[in-house]
Amino acid sequence: MLRRTRLFGQKTRVTFTLPLDQPSGAVSVVGDFNEWRPGDHELLRRRDGTRTVSVILPAGVHRFRYLATGGLWFDDETADKIDHLGSVVYL
């Protein structure tokens, strides 16, 4: 799930949220905003039974995917668009 919070200027905080145990193991969000580097934005456990990470992004179009332990790549069903290259969010 994606949550957007408008900030100052042309910036938006995007919070990426997944269930705590699906999939199991560590999960990172990777995308054009972190040069597709796994581990830069790892989702962390929260008390409410989810795991999240927030990233501040400029206005524009951003591509991303999730990468889980074991090399499992997957998309976010709540993204603005999903295509053969992954998930897209429009800010």
Side-chain angles (χ1 to χ4, degrees), residues 46-65:
R46 304 294 176 212
R47 289 185 209 171
D48 66 359
T50 65
R51 52 188 161 178
T52 68
V53 67
S54 294
V55 180
I56 296 174
L57 300 173
V61 178
H62 301 280
R63 289 192 166 276
F64 71 94
R65 295 193 82 199

Side-chain angles (χ1 to χ4, degrees), residues 72-88:
L72 172 66
W73 288 93
F74 61 101
D75 294 305
D76 191 315
E77 62 188 37
T78 65
D80 296 329
K81 178 181 173 182
I82 299 173
D83 61 23
H84 68 286
L85 298 175
S87 302
V88 178

